[in-house]
């Protein structure tokens, strides 16, 4: 019999992942949803089916055996957990999927930290890479809901403290942001030398498929300024600060990331905190004598 479940936090990632649990997780009971704006939970519940809505995080936890959470940032995680851990949670399994520092993960009661790699479209398609960490027994209970439900692959950290999965998630951001910086510079250089985005993307699609292709197409199509952000630039700034703090403490220089960090701040200055991380492309365009927005419309 499947455990009763709830999902806390319904941003883009939370919506996609809770949808897949409801539709693919073979749950015996409807998944219970909670987010701070209850009307959003009501809409999402109606959309996915086999779901109900709790009026509070405490109510959702009280009626569930397995508690999944994917919240906007570390502050939100601490605020929500401070509340829900005041009630009796004996025997409940917490699965925390937010992007938080290793220190925060180790401080929380979460028995499993399931770091996930992938942006919202990958979450919707159920092709995330999942990194479950915690006790062997706890991770074993979560695994049936990873491959084939939430993700396509698992990097198994069974028996490893949950903070290590958070550390990998934060360091993974080093690769993702550096990739976007490289793509932005490459696209602008291709445009200004006459190679053109179309010819560059043939190379990217062939040699670097997957995330490179996703972010490349968001740049060339103009989606970075026309559509809802994949990664909100304000959230990106928070994660960037975590990465830089970790690198500084370890005594490791990260010059490429520092350039990308500067560009992230410039995106926020140019379009506001709700801009897109792929807006790095627009900032590199500005630095190269072009307009922030490309001509795609």
């Amino acid at each position: 019999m499947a455990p009763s479940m709830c999902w806390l936090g319904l941003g883009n990632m939370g919506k996609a992942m809770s949808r897949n649990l409801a539709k693919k997780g073979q749950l015996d009971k409807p998944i219970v949803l909670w987010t701070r704006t209850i009307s959003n939970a009501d809409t999402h519940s109606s959309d996915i089916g086999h779901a109900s809505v709790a009026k509070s995080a405490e109510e959702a936890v009280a009626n569930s055996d397995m508690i999944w959470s994917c919240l906007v940032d570390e502050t939100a995680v601490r605020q929500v957990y401070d509340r829900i851990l005041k009630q009796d949670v004996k025997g409940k399994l917490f699965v925390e999927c937010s992007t938080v520092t290793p220190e925060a993960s180790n401080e929380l009661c979460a028995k499993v930290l399931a770091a996930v790699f992938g942006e919202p479209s990958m979450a919707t398609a159920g092709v995330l890479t999942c990194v479950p960490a915690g006790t062997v027994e706890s991770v074993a209970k979560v695994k049936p809901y990873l491959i084939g439900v939430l993700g396509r692959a698992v990097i198994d950290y069974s028996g490893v403290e949950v903070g290590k999965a958070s550390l990998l998630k934060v360091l993974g951001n080093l690769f993702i942001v550096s990739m976007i910086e490289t793509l932005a510079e490459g696209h602008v250089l291709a445009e200004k030398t006459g190679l053109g985005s179309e010819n560059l993307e043939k190379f990217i699609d062939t040699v670097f498929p997957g995330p490179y292709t996703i972010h490349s197409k968001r740049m060339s199509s103009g989606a970075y300024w026309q559509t809802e952000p994949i990664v909100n630039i304000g959230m990106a700034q928070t994660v960037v600060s975590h990465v830089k703090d970790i690198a500084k403490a370890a005594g490791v220089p990260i010059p490429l990331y520092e350039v990308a960090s500067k560009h992230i701040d410039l995106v926020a200055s140019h379009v506001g905190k709700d801009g897109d991380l792929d807006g790095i492309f627009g900032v590199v365009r500005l630095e190269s004598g072009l307009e922030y927005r490309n001509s795609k419309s």
Side-chain angles (χ1 to χ4, degrees):
M1 183 175 179
S4 56
M5 295 188 185
C6 71
W7 191 281
L8 311 179
L10 294 174
N12 289 337
M13 293 294 287
K15 284 182 179 178
M17 294 168 74
S18 59
R19 176 192 298 273
N20 284 333
L21 275 177
K23 293 186 174 297
K24 303 178 187 178
Q26 299 181 347
L27 306 184
D28 297 315
K29 298 178 181 179
I31 189 170
V32 179
L33 306 173
W34 175 82
T35 194
R36 290 180 176 179
T37 305
I38 299 300
S39 60
N40 289 344
D42 288 331
T43 300
H44 187 55
S45 175
S46 298
D47 183 36
I48 68 176
H50 202 53
S52 63
V53 175
K55 294 181 180 179
S56 67
E58 292 89 337
E59 177 188 331
V61 171
N63 295 314
S64 304
D65 302 316
M66 186 178 291
I67 296 90
W68 298 76
S69 54
C70 188
L71 301 161
V72 63
D73 57 24
E74 186 169 312
T75 298
V77 171
R78 289 184 180 277
Q79 289 174 346
V80 170
Y81 271 80
D82 282 347
R83 289 163 45 197
I84 61 179
L85 296 182
K86 290 178 180 178
Q87 64 197 86
D88 182 12
V89 294
K90 184 178 180 180
K92 297 181 183 294
L93 181 60
F94 290 82
V95 188
E96 224 302 294
C97 304
S98 313
T99 301
V100 296
T101 60
E103 293 77 14
S105 296
N106 287 330
E107 290 170 16
L108 294 171
C109 158
K111 294 182 179 178
V112 177
L113 192 291
V116 293
F117 289 96
E119 42 76 39
S121 70
M122 298 174 73
T124 298
V127 292
L128 297 171
T129 296
C130 305
V131 189
T135 67
V136 173
E137 179 184 7
S138 296
V139 170
K141 293 178 181 178
V142 174
K143 279 184 178 179
Y145 306 102
L146 300 181
I147 293 182
V149 180
L150 298 180
R152 63 173 179 80
V154 167
I155 301 172
D156 192 343
Y157 275 25
S158 296
V160 178
E161 68 176 23
V162 294
K164 295 299 184 184
S166 282
L167 180 58
L168 181 63
K169 172 72 172 179
V170 173
L171 294 189
N173 181 267
L174 176 73
F175 289 83
I176 294 166
V177 170
S178 299
M179 170 191 69
I180 292 172
E181 176 69 30
T182 300
L183 284 169
E185 294 175 10
H187 268 286
V188 174
L189 188 57
E191 180 174 345
K192 295 206 70 172
T193 58
L195 176 65
S197 291
E198 183 176 347
N199 288 324
L200 178 65
E201 284 194 327
K202 290 177 183 177
F203 163 75
I204 293 169
D205 291 347
T206 302
V207 181
F208 302 112
Y212 274 85
T213 296
I214 291 171
H215 290 280
S216 175
K217 291 188 183 303
R218 285 187 60 79
M219 294 177 189
S220 64
S221 69
Y224 71 96
W225 61 267
Q226 296 183 67
T227 65
E228 183 177 358
I230 281 185
V231 178
N232 176 285
I233 204 70
M235 294 170 58
Q237 286 178 304
T238 299
V239 178
V240 164
S241 69
H242 294 331
V243 175
K244 291 167 71 173
D245 286 346
I246 289 171
K248 182 178 180 180
V252 178
I254 46 174
L256 175 58
Y257 196 80
E258 292 287 357
V259 172
S261 174
K262 181 192 75 170
H263 286 158
I264 286 171
D265 289 340
L266 289 173
V267 174
S269 297
H270 189 75
V271 299
K273 297 287 187 178
D274 292 329
D276 192 345
L277 180 58
D278 287 319
I280 288 175
F281 174 51
V283 167
V284 175
R285 288 175 57 82
L286 286 173
E287 291 180 336
S288 304
L290 303 172
E291 294 183 358
Y292 180 85
R293 296 181 175 185
N294 60 7
S295 60
K296 303 295 183 180
S297 60

